[in-house]
Amino acid sequence: MRPARRGPGCGSGSVRAAGRTLLAAAVPCPRALNLGGPRPLGCSRGHMAEGDTGSSQKQNEEIEAMAAIYGDEWCVIDDCAKIFCIRISDDTDDPKWTVCLQVMLPNEYPGTAPPIYQLNAPWLEGQERADLSNSLEEIYMQNIGESILYLWVEKIRDFLIQKSQMIEPGPDIEKKTEKDDVECEDDLILACQLENPEIEELPLIDHGIPITDRRSTFQAHLAPVVCPKQVKMVLAKLYENKKIASATHNVYAYRIYCEDKQTFLQDCEDDGETAAGGRLLHLMEILNVRNVMVVVSRWFGGILLGPDRFKHINNCARNILVEKNYTNSPEESSKALGKNKKVKKDKKRSEH
Protein backbone atom coordinates (compact mmCIF):
# COMPACT_ATOMS: atom_id res chain seq x y z
CA MET A 1 0.00 0.00 0.00
CA ARG A 2 1.74 3.15 -1.18
CA PRO A 3 0.70 6.79 -1.09
CA ALA A 4 0.16 8.57 -4.35
CA ARG A 5 3.35 9.96 -5.81
CA ARG A 6 2.63 13.49 -6.89
CA GLY A 7 4.53 16.47 -8.13
CA PRO A 8 3.62 19.91 -6.78
CA GLY A 9 -0.18 20.07 -6.66
CA CYS A 10 -2.66 22.67 -7.84
CA GLY A 11 -2.13 25.86 -5.92
CA SER A 12 -3.11 29.49 -5.85
CA GLY A 13 -3.82 31.09 -9.19
CA SER A 14 -4.92 34.25 -10.92
CA VAL A 15 -7.59 34.23 -13.59
CA ARG A 16 -7.05 36.07 -16.83
CA ALA A 17 -8.34 36.32 -20.33
CA ALA A 18 -5.63 36.59 -22.94
CA GLY A 19 -4.88 40.24 -23.53
CA ARG A 20 -6.53 41.49 -20.34
CA THR A 21 -6.59 40.78 -16.60
CA LEU A 22 -10.07 39.86 -15.37
CA LEU A 23 -9.44 39.94 -11.64
CA ALA A 24 -6.54 40.69 -9.33
CA ALA A 25 -4.42 37.72 -8.27
CA ALA A 26 -5.91 37.98 -4.77
CA VAL A 27 -9.21 36.71 -6.23
CA PRO A 28 -8.23 33.35 -7.73
CA CYS A 29 -11.48 32.38 -9.45
CA PRO A 30 -14.08 34.46 -11.32
CA ARG A 31 -17.75 33.74 -11.67
CA ALA A 32 -17.00 32.36 -15.12
CA LEU A 33 -15.23 29.46 -13.42
CA ASN A 34 -18.12 28.67 -11.08
CA LEU A 35 -17.70 24.99 -10.20
CA GLY A 36 -20.39 24.76 -7.57
CA GLY A 37 -23.74 25.69 -9.12
CA PRO A 38 -26.09 23.07 -10.53
CA ARG A 39 -26.35 22.87 -14.29
CA PRO A 40 -28.87 20.56 -15.95
CA LEU A 41 -27.73 18.00 -18.49
CA GLY A 42 -27.81 19.29 -22.04
CA CYS A 43 -27.77 22.87 -20.80
CA SER A 44 -27.08 25.83 -23.02
CA ARG A 45 -24.79 28.75 -22.24
CA GLY A 46 -27.15 31.15 -23.94
CA HIS A 47 -28.37 31.74 -27.47
CA MET A 48 -25.59 31.11 -29.97
CA ALA A 49 -25.49 33.53 -32.86
CA GLU A 50 -25.36 32.09 -36.35
CA GLY A 51 -21.79 33.31 -36.72
CA ASP A 52 -20.74 31.33 -33.62
CA THR A 53 -21.60 27.95 -35.17
CA GLY A 54 -18.15 27.68 -36.71
CA SER A 55 -16.55 28.50 -33.35
CA SER A 56 -18.57 25.74 -31.68
CA GLN A 57 -17.40 23.18 -34.24
CA LYS A 58 -13.79 24.28 -33.82
CA GLN A 59 -14.14 24.06 -30.04
CA ASN A 60 -15.47 20.50 -30.22
CA GLU A 61 -12.69 19.45 -32.57
CA GLU A 62 -10.06 21.03 -30.32
CA ILE A 63 -11.51 19.41 -27.18
CA GLU A 64 -11.48 15.97 -28.83
CA ALA A 65 -7.90 16.50 -29.97
CA MET A 66 -6.73 17.60 -26.50
CA ALA A 67 -8.36 14.55 -24.89
CA ALA A 68 -6.73 12.26 -27.45
CA ILE A 69 -3.28 13.85 -27.10
CA TYR A 70 -3.07 14.23 -23.32
CA GLY A 71 -5.24 11.37 -22.06
CA ASP A 72 -5.24 11.23 -18.26
CA GLU A 73 -3.80 14.74 -17.94
CA TRP A 74 -6.92 16.27 -19.57
CA CYS A 75 -9.99 16.54 -17.34
CA VAL A 76 -13.53 17.78 -18.03
CA ILE A 77 -14.72 19.94 -15.12
CA ASP A 78 -18.01 21.19 -16.57
CA ASP A 79 -18.86 20.14 -20.11
CA CYS A 80 -21.83 22.51 -20.42
CA ALA A 81 -19.81 25.54 -19.35
CA LYS A 82 -16.82 24.30 -21.37
CA ILE A 83 -14.48 24.28 -18.36
CA PHE A 84 -11.46 22.00 -18.55
CA CYS A 85 -8.28 21.37 -16.59
CA ILE A 86 -4.94 19.86 -17.57
CA ARG A 87 -2.02 18.99 -15.31
CA ILE A 88 1.30 19.88 -16.97
CA SER A 89 4.69 18.66 -15.69
CA ASP A 90 8.30 19.05 -16.74
CA ASP A 91 8.79 15.27 -16.76
CA THR A 92 6.23 12.50 -17.11
CA ASP A 93 8.07 9.87 -15.05
CA ASP A 94 9.60 12.02 -12.31
CA PRO A 95 7.94 15.47 -12.26
CA LYS A 96 9.78 18.22 -10.42
CA TRP A 97 7.55 21.15 -11.37
CA THR A 98 3.83 20.96 -12.10
CA VAL A 99 1.19 23.51 -13.10
CA CYS A 100 -2.56 23.01 -13.47
CA LEU A 101 -4.03 25.03 -16.33
CA GLN A 102 -7.79 25.54 -16.01
CA VAL A 103 -9.61 27.07 -18.98
CA MET A 104 -13.13 28.14 -19.87
CA LEU A 105 -14.01 28.50 -23.55
CA PRO A 106 -16.48 31.33 -24.31
CA ASN A 107 -19.00 30.81 -27.13
CA GLU A 108 -16.98 33.20 -29.32
CA TYR A 109 -13.67 31.31 -28.95
CA PRO A 110 -11.61 30.90 -31.07
CA GLY A 111 -13.20 33.35 -33.49
CA THR A 112 -13.35 36.65 -31.61
CA ALA A 113 -12.73 35.91 -27.92
CA PRO A 114 -9.82 34.37 -25.98
CA PRO A 115 -10.05 31.52 -23.47
CA ILE A 116 -10.41 32.51 -19.83
CA TYR A 117 -7.71 30.73 -17.86
CA GLN A 118 -6.29 30.11 -14.43
CA LEU A 119 -2.77 28.96 -13.57
CA ASN A 120 -2.62 26.87 -10.39
CA ALA A 121 0.66 26.08 -8.64
CA PRO A 122 1.66 26.92 -5.04
CA TRP A 123 5.16 27.95 -6.11
CA LEU A 124 4.15 30.09 -9.11
CA GLU A 125 4.02 33.73 -8.06
CA GLY A 126 5.43 37.18 -8.64
CA GLN A 127 7.49 37.79 -11.74
CA GLU A 128 7.46 34.14 -12.81
CA ARG A 129 3.66 34.12 -12.90
CA ALA A 130 3.58 37.41 -14.77
CA ASP A 131 6.14 36.22 -17.33
CA LEU A 132 4.29 32.96 -18.00
CA SER A 133 0.92 34.74 -18.28
CA ASN A 134 2.40 37.26 -20.70
CA SER A 135 3.80 34.42 -22.82
CA LEU A 136 0.36 32.82 -23.08
CA GLU A 137 -1.27 36.11 -23.98
CA GLU A 138 1.39 36.75 -26.62
CA ILE A 139 0.57 33.36 -28.18
CA TYR A 140 -3.10 34.36 -28.35
CA MET A 141 -2.32 37.73 -29.95
CA GLN A 142 -0.19 36.01 -32.57
CA ASN A 143 -2.92 33.44 -33.36
CA ILE A 144 -6.22 35.33 -33.08
CA GLY A 145 -9.01 33.24 -34.55
CA GLU A 146 -7.05 29.99 -34.19
CA SER A 147 -7.21 27.18 -31.63
CA ILE A 148 -4.41 27.76 -29.13
CA LEU A 149 -4.84 25.34 -26.20
CA TYR A 150 -2.17 22.96 -27.49
CA LEU A 151 0.24 25.89 -27.96
CA TRP A 152 -0.48 27.05 -24.42
CA VAL A 153 0.10 23.62 -22.89
CA GLU A 154 3.40 23.11 -24.69
CA LYS A 155 4.54 26.64 -23.82
CA ILE A 156 3.90 25.91 -20.15
CA ARG A 157 5.71 22.58 -20.47
CA ASP A 158 8.73 24.32 -22.06
CA PHE A 159 8.66 26.84 -19.21
CA LEU A 160 8.72 24.01 -16.64
CA ILE A 161 11.49 22.12 -18.44
CA GLN A 162 13.65 25.24 -18.53
CA LYS A 163 12.98 25.82 -14.84
CA SER A 164 13.92 22.23 -13.96
CA GLN A 165 17.24 22.64 -15.78
CA MET A 166 18.18 25.63 -13.66
CA ILE A 167 20.30 25.26 -10.53
CA GLU A 168 17.47 26.12 -8.13
CA PRO A 169 15.95 23.10 -6.36
CA GLY A 170 12.36 22.01 -6.81
CA PRO A 171 9.61 22.55 -4.25
CA ASP A 172 10.29 21.04 -0.84
CA ILE A 173 9.10 17.45 -1.05
CA GLU A 174 10.12 15.14 1.74
CA LYS A 175 11.78 12.05 0.30
CA LYS A 176 10.79 8.75 1.87
CA THR A 177 11.58 5.13 1.22
CA GLU A 178 8.84 2.76 0.12
CA LYS A 179 8.84 1.29 3.63
CA ASP A 180 8.32 4.75 5.12
CA ASP A 181 5.48 5.37 2.69
CA VAL A 182 3.74 2.16 3.72
CA GLU A 183 4.14 2.92 7.42
CA CYS A 184 2.87 6.46 6.92
CA GLU A 185 -0.15 5.20 4.99
CA ASP A 186 -0.93 2.60 7.65
CA ASP A 187 -0.79 5.34 10.28
CA LEU A 188 -3.20 7.43 8.24
CA ILE A 189 -5.74 4.59 7.90
CA LEU A 190 -5.43 3.86 11.63
CA ALA A 191 -5.97 7.53 12.45
CA CYS A 192 -9.16 7.60 10.36
CA GLN A 193 -10.41 4.47 12.10
CA LEU A 194 -9.66 5.89 15.56
CA GLU A 195 -11.59 9.04 14.69
CA ASN A 196 -14.67 6.92 13.90
CA PRO A 197 -14.42 3.80 16.13
CA GLU A 198 -18.17 3.13 16.21
CA ILE A 199 -18.81 3.27 12.47
CA GLU A 200 -20.35 -0.09 11.65
CA GLU A 201 -23.54 0.86 9.82
CA LEU A 202 -23.91 0.91 6.07
CA PRO A 203 -24.21 4.56 4.96
CA LEU A 204 -27.21 5.69 2.94
CA ILE A 205 -26.63 5.26 -0.80
CA ASP A 206 -28.21 7.73 -3.24
CA HIS A 207 -28.64 7.09 -6.95
CA GLY A 208 -28.39 9.74 -9.65
CA ILE A 209 -30.40 10.31 -12.80
CA PRO A 210 -29.11 8.05 -15.62
CA ILE A 211 -27.55 9.51 -18.77
CA THR A 212 -28.05 7.59 -22.02
CA ASP A 213 -26.02 8.16 -25.18
CA ARG A 214 -26.04 5.85 -28.21
CA ARG A 215 -27.53 3.00 -26.17
CA SER A 216 -24.89 3.25 -23.42
CA THR A 217 -26.26 4.23 -20.01
CA PHE A 218 -24.36 5.89 -17.17
CA GLN A 219 -25.61 6.24 -13.59
CA ALA A 220 -23.88 7.62 -10.49
CA HIS A 221 -24.28 6.31 -6.95
CA LEU A 222 -23.13 8.34 -3.92
CA ALA A 223 -22.57 7.52 -0.25
CA PRO A 224 -20.99 9.40 2.67
CA VAL A 225 -17.91 7.54 3.95
CA VAL A 226 -15.54 8.30 6.82
CA CYS A 227 -13.35 5.18 6.81
CA PRO A 228 -12.11 2.55 4.30
CA LYS A 229 -14.36 -0.08 5.89
CA GLN A 230 -17.42 1.87 4.78
CA VAL A 231 -16.08 1.97 1.23
CA LYS A 232 -16.08 -1.82 1.15
CA MET A 233 -19.55 -1.92 2.69
CA VAL A 234 -20.94 0.42 0.00
CA LEU A 235 -19.37 -1.62 -2.80
CA ALA A 236 -20.71 -4.86 -1.37
CA LYS A 237 -24.21 -3.39 -1.06
CA LEU A 238 -24.18 -2.05 -4.61
CA TYR A 239 -23.08 -5.39 -6.00
CA GLU A 240 -26.09 -7.03 -4.34
CA ASN A 241 -28.11 -5.25 -7.02
CA LYS A 242 -28.07 -7.56 -10.06
CA LYS A 243 -28.34 -4.67 -12.51
CA ILE A 244 -25.38 -2.81 -11.01
CA ALA A 245 -23.39 -6.04 -10.72
CA SER A 246 -23.99 -6.68 -14.42
CA ALA A 247 -22.73 -3.23 -15.49
CA THR A 248 -19.83 -3.26 -17.94
CA HIS A 249 -17.88 -0.97 -15.63
CA ASN A 250 -18.38 0.29 -12.08
CA VAL A 251 -15.87 3.12 -11.79
CA TYR A 252 -15.41 4.63 -8.34
CA ALA A 253 -13.41 7.11 -6.31
CA TYR A 254 -13.53 8.32 -2.73
CA ARG A 255 -11.99 11.00 -0.53
CA ILE A 256 -11.87 10.77 3.27
CA TYR A 257 -10.55 13.67 5.34
CA CYS A 258 -8.64 12.69 8.49
CA GLU A 259 -8.84 15.54 10.98
CA ASP A 260 -6.07 14.18 13.18
CA LYS A 261 -3.55 14.07 10.34
CA GLN A 262 -4.98 17.07 8.48
CA THR A 263 -4.83 15.16 5.22
CA PHE A 264 -6.88 13.06 2.80
CA LEU A 265 -7.13 9.31 2.36
CA GLN A 266 -8.32 8.66 -1.19
CA ASP A 267 -8.31 6.07 -3.94
CA CYS A 268 -10.01 5.19 -7.22
CA GLU A 269 -10.80 2.18 -9.40
CA ASP A 270 -11.12 2.00 -13.21
CA ASP A 271 -12.88 -1.39 -13.27
CA GLY A 272 -11.72 -1.95 -16.83
CA GLU A 273 -12.42 1.58 -18.10
CA THR A 274 -8.82 2.74 -18.43
CA ALA A 275 -8.08 6.06 -16.67
CA ALA A 276 -11.74 6.67 -15.75
CA GLY A 277 -11.14 6.29 -12.02
CA GLY A 278 -8.26 8.75 -12.04
CA ARG A 279 -10.32 11.30 -13.97
CA LEU A 280 -13.17 10.89 -11.49
CA LEU A 281 -10.84 11.37 -8.52
CA HIS A 282 -9.29 14.40 -10.20
CA LEU A 283 -12.76 15.94 -10.52
CA MET A 284 -13.45 15.31 -6.83
CA GLU A 285 -10.13 16.93 -5.90
CA ILE A 286 -10.91 20.04 -7.93
CA LEU A 287 -14.41 20.29 -6.42
CA ASN A 288 -12.74 19.83 -3.01
CA VAL A 289 -15.28 17.28 -1.76
CA ARG A 290 -14.61 15.23 1.33
CA ASN A 291 -15.96 12.17 3.15
CA VAL A 292 -17.83 10.91 0.12
CA MET A 293 -17.67 8.06 -2.36
CA VAL A 294 -18.99 8.12 -5.91
CA VAL A 295 -19.53 5.04 -8.07
CA VAL A 296 -20.49 5.45 -11.73
CA SER A 297 -21.97 2.41 -13.48
CA ARG A 298 -21.81 2.11 -17.25
CA TRP A 299 -23.84 -0.35 -19.29
CA PHE A 300 -22.26 -0.58 -22.74
CA GLY A 301 -24.75 -0.35 -25.60
CA GLY A 302 -22.61 -1.73 -28.40
CA ILE A 303 -21.46 1.61 -29.88
CA LEU A 304 -18.04 3.03 -29.00
CA LEU A 305 -18.35 6.55 -27.56
CA GLY A 306 -14.70 7.58 -27.60
CA PRO A 307 -13.82 10.49 -25.24
CA ASP A 308 -17.54 11.13 -24.65
CA ARG A 309 -17.62 8.24 -22.18
CA PHE A 310 -15.32 10.16 -19.81
CA LYS A 311 -17.50 13.26 -20.21
CA HIS A 312 -20.61 11.30 -19.20
CA ILE A 313 -18.87 9.65 -16.23
CA ASN A 314 -17.72 13.00 -14.84
CA ASN A 315 -21.04 14.71 -15.60
CA CYS A 316 -22.93 11.98 -13.71
CA ALA A 317 -20.58 12.35 -10.76
CA ARG A 318 -20.67 16.13 -10.72
CA ASN A 319 -24.48 16.23 -10.98
CA ILE A 320 -25.02 14.00 -7.94
CA LEU A 321 -22.33 15.78 -5.90
CA VAL A 322 -24.06 19.09 -6.60
CA GLU A 323 -27.51 17.63 -5.93
CA LYS A 324 -26.41 16.27 -2.54
CA ASN A 325 -24.62 19.53 -1.60
CA TYR A 326 -21.10 18.12 -1.47
CA THR A 327 -19.66 20.93 -3.58
CA ASN A 328 -18.59 24.16 -1.92
CA SER A 329 -19.77 27.62 -2.79
CA PRO A 330 -17.85 29.19 -5.71
CA GLU A 331 -15.84 31.33 -3.27
CA GLU A 332 -14.85 28.35 -1.12
CA SER A 333 -13.99 26.27 -4.18
CA SER A 334 -11.70 29.06 -5.37
CA LYS A 335 -9.90 29.18 -2.05
CA ALA A 336 -9.58 25.41 -2.04
CA LEU A 337 -7.84 25.47 -5.42
CA GLY A 338 -5.15 27.64 -3.85
CA LYS A 339 -4.26 25.33 -1.01
CA ASN A 340 -1.30 23.00 -1.25
CA LYS A 341 -2.65 20.04 0.66
CA LYS A 342 -0.76 16.91 1.48
CA VAL A 343 -2.74 14.04 -0.02
CA LYS A 344 -2.25 10.39 0.65
CA LYS A 345 -3.72 7.69 -1.54
CA ASP A 346 -4.97 4.39 -0.21
CA LYS A 347 -3.58 1.81 -2.61
CA LYS A 348 -5.53 -1.07 -1.10
CA ARG A 349 -8.04 -2.00 -3.74
CA SER A 350 -11.42 -3.10 -2.38
CA GLU A 351 -12.32 -6.63 -3.45
CA HIS A 352 -15.51 -6.89 -5.49
Side-chain angles (χ1 to χ4, degrees):
M1 180 170 51
R2 299 180 62 188
R5 183 178 66 111
R6 295 180 177 273
C10 297
S12 59
S14 61
V15 180
R16 300 161 68 98
R20 68 188 191 279
T21 300
L22 295 183
L23 292 177
V27 184
C29 198
R31 296 183 66 182
L33 290 180
N34 182 343
L35 302 180
R39 188 182 298 273
L41 181 66
C43 58
S44 170
R45 292 186 292 164
H47 175 70
M48 181 174 289
E50 187 173 336
D52 293 334
T53 305
S55 293
S56 177
Q57 182 177 349
K58 285 185 177 180
Q59 281 187 21
N60 292 335
E61 291 174 353
E62 183 176 22
I63 291 167
E64 289 181 5
M66 294 294 286
I69 294 170
Y70 296 109
D72 294 351
E73 295 176 333
W74 178 260
C75 179
V76 179
I77 306 303
D78 189 328
D79 185 59
C80 293
K82 295 293 180 70
I83 301 175
F84 308 92
C85 182
I86 180 167
R87 190 184 299 271
I88 309 163
S89 302
D90 59 322
D91 186 281
T92 303
D93 297 325
D94 186 21
K96 182 179 179 182
W97 300 98
T98 300
V99 169
C100 284
L101 171 66
Q102 190 168 314
V103 296
M104 190 200 80
L105 307 182
N107 285 336
E108 300 81 9
Y109 169 79
T112 59
I116 297 170
Y117 71 94
Q118 175 173 316
L119 294 169
N120 294 322
W123 53 267
L124 185 62
E125 56 187 15
Q127 191 59 47
E128 273 192 325
R129 177 179 291 278
D131 290 345
L132 182 54
S133 297
N134 289 337
S135 296
L136 300 186
E137 293 168 9
E138 183 178 348
I139 289 175
Y140 169 73
M141 296 303 293
Q142 293 173 350
N143 297 273
I144 292 177
E146 301 296 328
S147 300
I148 61 169
L149 294 186
Y150 176 80
L151 297 178
W152 274 10
V153 171
E154 293 309 309
K155 180 63 179 179
I156 295 172
R157 197 183 306 279
D158 289 343
F159 170 85
L160 296 176
I161 291 174
Q162 291 178 16
K163 187 174 179 63
S164 68
Q165 293 173 346
M166 297 172 64
I167 299 177
E168 61 179 303
D172 292 333
I173 301 175
E174 184 178 357
K175 294 184 177 180
K176 298 181 180 180
T177 64
E178 183 172 341
K179 180 180 179 181
D180 291 335
D181 283 338
V182 171
E183 291 175 352
C184 181
E185 191 72 7
D186 288 340
D187 290 343
L188 184 57
I189 294 175
L190 179 61
C192 289
Q193 292 173 339
L194 292 176
E195 287 178 14
N196 305 279
E198 305 299 328
I199 298 298
E200 297 291 341
E201 296 183 359
L202 173 72
L204 177 66
I205 303 175
D206 290 297
H207 307 279
I209 300 174
I211 294 175
T212 300
D213 179 11
R214 284 163 282 180
R215 299 205 298 267
S216 279
T217 299
F218 303 78
Q219 185 179 26
H221 321 281
L222 177 149
V225 292
V226 293
C227 65
K229 184 176 181 179
Q230 283 190 314
V231 172
K232 295 182 179 181
M233 294 169 67
V234 170
L235 288 172
K237 183 63 178 180
L238 286 174
Y239 275 93
E240 289 178 5
N241 184 302
K242 292 183 179 180
K243 181 179 179 181
I244 295 175
S246 67
T248 312
H249 309 288
N250 283 299
V251 179
Y252 73 81
Y254 67 85
R255 302 190 80 215
I256 299 171
Y257 186 67
C258 300
E259 293 285 350
D260 184 53
K261 297 290 185 178
Q262 295 287 295
T263 189
F264 282 90
L265 183 67
Q266 63 183 37
D267 198 8
C268 61
E269 171 60 49
D270 294 336
D271 193 28
E273 186 68 281
T274 305
R279 290 168 184 253
L280 177 57
L281 181 58
H282 190 192
L283 173 70
M284 294 172 70
E285 289 175 330
I286 291 172
L287 294 177
N288 194 36
V289 299
R290 60 177 61 189
N291 297 333
V292 65
M293 174 182 188
V294 177
V295 181
V296 179
S297 302
R298 180 198 179 181
W299 293 269
F300 181 58
I303 300 175
L304 297 176
L305 302 185
D308 283 351
R309 66 191 190 279
F310 300 117
K311 174 184 69 177
H312 295 320
I313 290 170
N314 273 15
N315 278 345
C316 276
R318 183 183 182 279
N319 288 345
I320 198 169
L321 286 167
V322 170
E323 178 186 348
K324 300 303 175 182
N325 298 316
Y326 276 92
T327 57
N328 292 327
S329 68
E331 293 78 10
E332 290 173 330
S333 293
S334 301
K335 293 178 181 177
L337 285 170
K339 293 180 180 178
N340 183 22
K341 295 179 178 178
K342 180 183 178 184
V343 179
K344 295 294 183 180
K345 187 175 181 181
D346 178 11
K347 297 300 290 184
K348 279 189 175 180
R349 300 295 185 185
S350 300
E351 296 181 3
H352 297 323

